[in-house]
Amino acid sequence: MAADTKPWWLDAAEQDAAAADSAALGLTASEAKSRLDAAGPNEFRAHDQKSPLRQFVARFGNPLVLILLIAGGVSALSGEVTNFIIITLIVLMSITLDFVQEYRANAAADKLRQSVAVRASVVRDGVAAALPIADIVPGDVAMLAAGDLIPADGLLIAAKDFFVKQALLTGEAYPVEKHAGRLPDTATDMQDAANAVFMGTSVISGSASMRVVKTGLATAIGEIADTISRPATPSSFEVGTRRFGMLIMRLTVLMVMFVLLVNALQHRPWLESFLFAVALAVGLTPELLPMVVSVTLARGAARMARAKMIVKRLSAIQDLGSMDVLCTDKTGTLTEAKIRMVRHVDAQGASSERVLHLAWLNSFFESGLKTPLDEAILDSAGQAVGAWQKIDEVPFDFERRCVSVLIDDGQTRWLVVKGAPDEIMRLCTHVEMGEDAHQMPFDAAAATTARASCHALEDDGFRVLGIAWREVGRDHPHAVVGDETGLVLAGFGAFLDPPKASAAEALEALRRDGIAIKIVTGDSDRVTRHVCGELGIPVSGVVSGAEIATLDDQALRIRVEQSNLFCRVNPAQKNRVIEALRARGHVVGYLGDGINDAPSLHSADVGLSVESAVDVAKEAADMILLEQDLHVLHAGVVEGRRTFGNIMKYIMMGTSSNFGNMFSMAGASLFLPFLPMLPTQILLNNILYDISEVAIPLDEVDAVDLAAPRVLDLSFIRNFMLVIGPISSLFDFLTFYVMLKVLNADAALFQTGWFVESLCTQVLVIFIIRTRGNPLRSRASGVLTATSLAVVALSLVLPYTPLASHFGFVPPPLRFYLILGAMVAVYLVAVELAKRAFYHFASHRSGLLPAAKGG
């Protein structure tokens, strides 16, 4: 900003436009459309909107694809036109297969994400409508309330007790009050812009209307988007797949270099040797892994949507399956969230209508986000406002844990305060006693009596609010935090929120599936213990917010392992609990729906919220539950594990039988006077094998794989490869013996026979590797069975078709198929026995695909 340029919140024209919008008529639909075309979407950075054609063409940037195409071009220049055509067709088939599956998966996932996109209330054609934030344009009039995210930068048209948290931009720790109107020309800093609100900040309390001035990259947060939009910390699954890719890359480079060296020493044609090495690299590379991951995750997201759970971040599906600790508040998840005010008592525990009246006045005049407790108070026995009028308010915050309203009835002016009982009693110097509510000093004896009354209510399972007040002078114009002293304790309100009938069953299902439940709540430990008792949750340990404040990070990591109740905690302490659990190696999910839950939702491995949550919570969450029910969450966990299981099938098959066959090819080149398989045959083998595995995302997963959280363990995959891969190679070398010694095969017959054997064993072993148990009892999906058997059948008949000569195939004798049938049967039995031995040893030594700790 130039030194002589005023910021937009001081611009006279903008302020006049905001004042003119006081009727809140907003834009017409046609005006909004033209402005959207001119200004662009209200986003920090444009999403990748490449056309399908451009996305398809981009796949040709894969280094292996480029090498194949270059090699094919060299073949054409050398006169091998047929070879060039075959290589080109196979490359196109592979790319098309990958593109179609992944494009459809991503389109489906985007559609689901858009269904829960954060929206804003915007006036269009004089009517308020909920629109996606991306559709907001300069000149729009937006309506704001507590819990909303500010959808753009703009000037306030009107505001009522409007407090905003803008620490994201200014670093201010506490909410700041905003109001409409002009500012002095000295208000050039963002902290001084009391008439303006900024995109990405959140409304803490009150209500307002705003006129949008800046959108997208023109906003304050948009200008620094590149510095704040850092990539999220990779999940355990993303780290594991990256390491897996590096492992395959190292193996591929070593094998290709070995093959090139051997062929060079044997003075074979350089082009043929080069094509063979490249084809070998393609065969080793799990090029379908991105597609399998994308399709499997997208299918999982679609299934979770049918189970009332919307996925915003696809990779979170796997994290949900790996989750071994779930942190949750108690209200609404463990309880019905149908809170009723059932008692209102004085400090001695006697019923008091005065307590009810004071609580009702506070909730009635409070302009912030109405909590279920406020709703319960307002729904209680009829109260009258009378002559009382609101003067000011100090909104609730999670440090003070109370809210104050300043009211006046024309004769007296009171500050009425309600909040957490401990906080309220700490602020009191007097207490009301008896039916006439005469005031007495709140000394040690009175405090002991009051705490006993409060604890008795909590022990009975009631949630308790403290109610206090004090009279101030009629000339007291504003309420500030400093006024919350010298209060008079009126008594307590008691609220009943019964446990959900379904919660106990859902919690037991989660525990049975290896997920530890930890309750992180602002309620007292007495109320939380009572709820746990009714739900059958054993309490292993209780940590209070006050205790957390005294613990360093190392000490807290020990306590979070030992305890499952964290009570009277503020948002910062909730976040510390989440981070301590993650530091202990846990995969942590956090379920929350309030403003105070946003930091924890962001810090957890999986942030979970509900459709009725405030915008701030929904924006921070990775998944949205459409029903506030733990059964929905349990179904999501099962789906996450099913998704992980299918991805693991592809990885384990690609690193066992496929690796074994490629190893055999490299080894065969040492002693054969010709290439064990032509480059085009290797590529055809690879594409047919890929086709057989396309249906893996549709496969079923065994119950044993759904019973506990699992993480991607690279050492386990490597060990599995070293056990199963050599068996594949052993039978490959047995095939070499049969072809050379029994059938006296020449180069063409040898290559044909091994192509058929290699493809049959690679594809059929899918049915062995896809399950830990008996493959005859674990049925594969119909689609996977059909594609696999179709590929096997094609490999058997291909040498007898007109295409055979183009690929260098010749018809094998009938005797070959008899021997092949016997070898394949023995191979499958051998792999099954080795698989069982491997899983038995692994489960006894270090756990089968080890679950995250603490499950």
Side-chain angles (χ1 to χ4, degrees):
M1 180 186 302
D4 60 344
T5 303
K6 288 185 179 179
W8 56 264
W9 56 83
L10 294 179
D11 185 89
E14 294 290 358
Q15 294 182 85
D16 290 343
D21 275 330
S22 58
L25 297 178
L27 301 174
T28 64
S30 59
E31 287 175 330
K33 185 179 185 306
S34 63
R35 295 191 184 196
L36 183 62
D37 293 338
N42 180 30
E43 298 170 333
F44 292 161
R45 59 178 69 200
H47 292 299
D48 185 6
Q49 297 294 337
K50 289 182 181 177
S51 67
L53 178 61
R54 289 180 62 193
Q55 294 180 48
F56 177 77
V57 171
R59 277 170 164 71
F60 287 90
N62 183 299
L64 286 175
V65 170
L66 289 174
I67 291 173
L68 278 173
L69 292 176
I70 292 170
V74 173
S75 296
L77 294 174
S78 303
E80 297 287 340
V81 178
T82 301
N83 208 29
F84 165 73
I85 294 173
I86 292 173
I87 290 174
T88 304
L89 287 175
I90 290 176
V91 169
L92 287 174
M93 285 179 62
S94 179
I95 287 178
T96 302
L97 179 70
D98 185 22
F99 166 75
V100 170
Q101 294 284 351
E102 192 166 348
Y103 181 78
R104 291 174 60 187
N106 289 336
D110 286 340
K111 187 175 181 180
L112 288 174
R113 279 194 291 270
Q114 290 168 11
S115 68
V116 290
V118 174
R119 295 170 177 262
S121 178
V122 178
V123 179
R124 292 279 174 86
D125 295 316
V127 178
L131 299 179
I133 286 180
D135 292 346
I136 292 177
V137 298
D140 264 326
V141 172
M143 314 305 291
L144 304 171
D148 289 348
L149 282 172
I150 305 296
D153 288 3
L155 291 169
L156 292 176
I157 300 169
K160 180 180 180 183
D161 297 312
F162 190 64
F163 285 79
V164 173
K165 187 168 186 178
Q166 54 186 32
L168 176 69
L169 291 173
T170 65
E172 295 164 293
Y174 293 100
V176 293
E177 188 169 13
K178 300 281 187 174
H179 53 79
R182 293 181 179 274
L183 297 178
D185 289 344
T186 55
T188 55
D189 291 332
M190 191 178 293
Q191 290 92 331
D192 300 327
N195 65 344
V197 287
F198 303 94
M199 185 177 187
T201 61
S202 54
V203 183
I204 299 300
S205 65
S207 59
S209 58
M210 66 172 283
R211 182 180 187 273
V212 174
V213 177
K214 304 282 187 179
T215 61
L217 290 172
T219 62
I221 195 172
E223 291 176 356
I224 57 173
D226 286 336
T227 60
I228 66 172
S229 300
R230 306 189 190 281
T233 303
S235 67
S236 61
F237 179 73
E238 291 167 337
V239 171
T241 52
R242 189 176 303 152
R243 290 176 178 171
F244 169 70
M246 292 302 297
L247 171 66
I248 294 297
M249 183 180 295
R250 287 194 292 267
L251 289 172
T252 301
V253 170
L254 287 174
M255 198 165 290
V256 167
M257 295 300 293
F258 173 77
V259 168
L260 286 174
L261 177 62
V262 169
N263 281 274
L265 292 174
Q266 296 183 354
H267 304 290
R268 290 173 180 163
W270 71 269
L271 178 60
E272 186 179 65
S273 299
F274 176 71
L275 284 173
F276 177 76
V278 172
L280 195 62
V282 173
L284 269 173
T285 305
E287 70 277 5
L288 277 191
L289 182 58
M291 184 276 290
V292 169
V293 170
S294 296
V295 174
T296 306
L297 291 177
R299 181 171 182 267
R303 290 178 60 152
M304 291 172 77
R306 290 194 292 271
K308 307 292 186 183
M309 196 167 183
I310 302 298
V311 178
K312 292 175 59 186
R313 178 173 64 88
L314 277 182
S315 61
I317 296 175
Q318 188 278 331
D319 293 328
L320 185 65
S322 298
M323 178 180 71
D324 68 311
V325 174
L326 172 65
C327 295
T328 177
D329 195 0
K330 115 185 130 53
T331 304
T333 51
L334 306 184
T335 61
E336 294 287 354
K338 297 177 180 176
I339 299 177
R340 293 178 293 112
M341 187 177 189
V342 293
R343 297 187 65 184
H344 31 88
V345 301
D346 61 20
Q348 291 74 44
S351 181
S352 170
E353 290 298 319
R354 177 172 172 77
V355 169
L356 174 59
H357 183 61
L358 288 171
W360 192 91
L361 287 172
N362 180 286
S363 293
F364 180 83
F365 286 115
E366 180 188 355
S367 62
L369 185 66
K370 289 289 191 287
T371 68
L373 297 179
D374 289 306
E375 300 295 343
I377 293 171
L378 296 174
D379 290 341
S380 60
Q383 299 286 317
V385 176
W388 290 108
Q389 292 184 334
K390 178 179 173 182
I391 305 301
D392 200 4
E393 123 179 51
V394 183
F396 180 88
D397 71 54
F398 296 97
E399 296 295 327
R400 292 165 37 250
R401 295 197 295 163
C402 62
V403 57
S404 302
V405 294
L406 185 64
I407 56 177
D408 193 300
D409 67 351
Q411 298 180 354
T412 57
R413 187 164 290 194
W414 290 356
L415 185 75
V416 182
V417 188
K418 74 172 187 295
D422 292 341
E423 297 297 325
I424 294 297
M425 286 188 279
R426 184 176 61 82
L427 300 172
C428 291
T429 57
H430 290 77
V431 59
E432 292 182 346
M433 309 282 285
E435 294 184 3
D436 59 349
H438 65 279
Q439 295 183 18
M440 300 286 290
F442 192 55
D443 54 19
T448 300
T449 300
R451 289 192 179 91
S453 299
C454 177
H455 292 165
L457 293 170
E458 291 176 334
D459 287 338
D460 289 337
F462 295 115
R463 186 170 180 179
V464 180
L465 279 182
I467 312 298
W469 69 284
R470 80 178 179 97
E471 186 172 351
V472 299
R474 295 292 308 286
D475 59 348
H476 199 88
H478 298 293
V480 294
V481 173
D483 293 334
E484 296 170 342
T485 57
L487 303 181
V488 180
L489 178 65
F492 307 101
F495 303 82
L496 181 64
D497 185 15
K500 280 186 176 179
S502 62
E505 181 183 348
L507 287 170
E508 178 57 32
L510 288 168
R511 285 200 299 270
R512 191 169 55 245
D513 286 349
I515 298 176
I517 307 296
K518 296 187 184 288
I519 301 173
V520 188
T521 179
D523 271 358
S524 74
D525 64 307
R526 294 172 183 270
V527 176
T528 309
R529 282 179 183 272
H530 181 87
V531 172
C532 289
E534 293 198 11
L535 292 175
I537 302 174
V539 177
S540 60
V542 181
V543 182
S544 68
E547 185 178 354
I548 291 175
T550 65
L551 297 175
D552 61 21
D553 290 343
Q554 291 295 333
L556 182 59
R557 289 172 188 175
I558 296 174
R559 292 304 306 275
V560 297
E561 200 74 55
Q562 301 166 342
S563 308
N564 65 340
L565 297 191
F566 302 87
C567 304
R568 294 290 193 205
V569 292
N570 61 35
Q573 291 164 346
K574 285 184 179 182
N575 205 40
R576 284 193 67 199
V577 170
I578 301 297
E579 291 175 345
L581 286 165
R582 293 191 68 191
R584 293 283 296 185
H586 294 286
V587 179
V588 183
Y590 182 80
L591 178 58
D593 62 357
I595 299 173
N596 60 319
D597 292 313
S600 298
L601 287 167
H602 190 268
S603 295
D605 292 282
V606 189
L608 303 157
S609 194
V610 294
E611 190 177 29
S612 58
V614 299
D615 285 350
V616 181
K618 287 195 288 188
E619 180 68 17
D622 301 310
M623 298 183 180
I624 307 293
L625 279 66
L626 300 183
E627 291 181 3
Q628 205 159 341
D629 188 340
L630 288 177
H631 281 294
V632 174
L633 178 57
H634 180 253
V637 169
V638 172
E639 191 56 47
R641 293 177 183 177
R642 179 181 290 112
T643 300
F644 178 82
N646 280 333
I647 293 172
M648 282 302 300
K649 290 175 188 177
Y650 177 81
I651 290 176
M652 295 179 73
M653 284 184 285
T655 54
S656 54
S657 63
N658 195 28
F659 174 77
N661 281 330
M662 296 304 107
F663 181 78
S664 300
M665 288 187 191
S669 62
L670 280 173
F671 62 86
L672 288 176
F674 49 83
L675 290 178
M677 202 181 290
L678 296 177
T680 52
Q681 293 170 348
I682 296 175
L683 294 175
L684 180 62
N685 181 294
N686 190 57
I687 187 64
L688 291 176
Y689 178 63
D690 285 348
I691 290 172
S692 72
E693 294 194 337
V694 164
I696 285 178
L698 306 177
D699 195 22
E700 297 300 322
V701 177
D702 293 345
V704 67
D705 291 319
L706 305 178
R710 301 191 296 163
V711 294
L712 190 63
D713 185 349
L714 194 61
S715 62
F716 179 90
I717 296 170
R718 184 190 61 241
N719 293 339
F720 188 83
M721 176 184 71
L722 294 176
V723 170
I724 304 299
I727 297 175
S728 175
S729 293
L730 177 64
F731 278 83
D732 285 336
F733 285 113
L734 181 59
T735 301
F736 299 164
Y737 178 83
V738 169
M739 299 303 298
L740 294 173
K741 299 299 183 182
V742 177
L743 300 179
N744 297 313
D746 59 10
L749 180 58
F750 181 95
Q751 292 161 349
T752 302
W754 191 30
F755 173 88
V756 175
E757 182 270 344
S758 171
L759 200 54
C760 287
T761 53
Q762 269 187 288
V763 172
L764 292 177
V765 82
I766 290 175
F767 299 101
I768 305 295
I769 295 177
R770 62 170 293 277
T771 174
R772 302 184 197 181
N774 188 333
L776 299 178
R777 294 179 181 174
S778 175
R779 292 187 176 181
S781 71
V783 180
L784 180 61
T785 302
T787 56
S788 300
L789 295 181
V791 166
V792 170
L794 179 61
S795 71
L796 295 175
V797 303
L798 188 59
Y800 300 93
T801 66
L803 291 174
S805 60
H806 296 292
F807 288 97
F809 295 136
V810 295
L814 178 61
R815 193 165 47 142
F816 165 75
Y817 286 105
L818 296 176
I819 298 173
L820 175 66
M823 284 199 307
V824 169
V826 175
Y827 168 70
L828 295 179
V829 170
V831 172
E832 173 63 18
L833 293 175
K835 180 195 72 176
R836 292 189 182 189
F838 175 80
Y839 279 127
H840 177 78
F841 177 77
S843 62
H844 279 76
R845 183 177 181 183
S846 58
L848 183 57
L849 271 180
K853 301 173 186 176

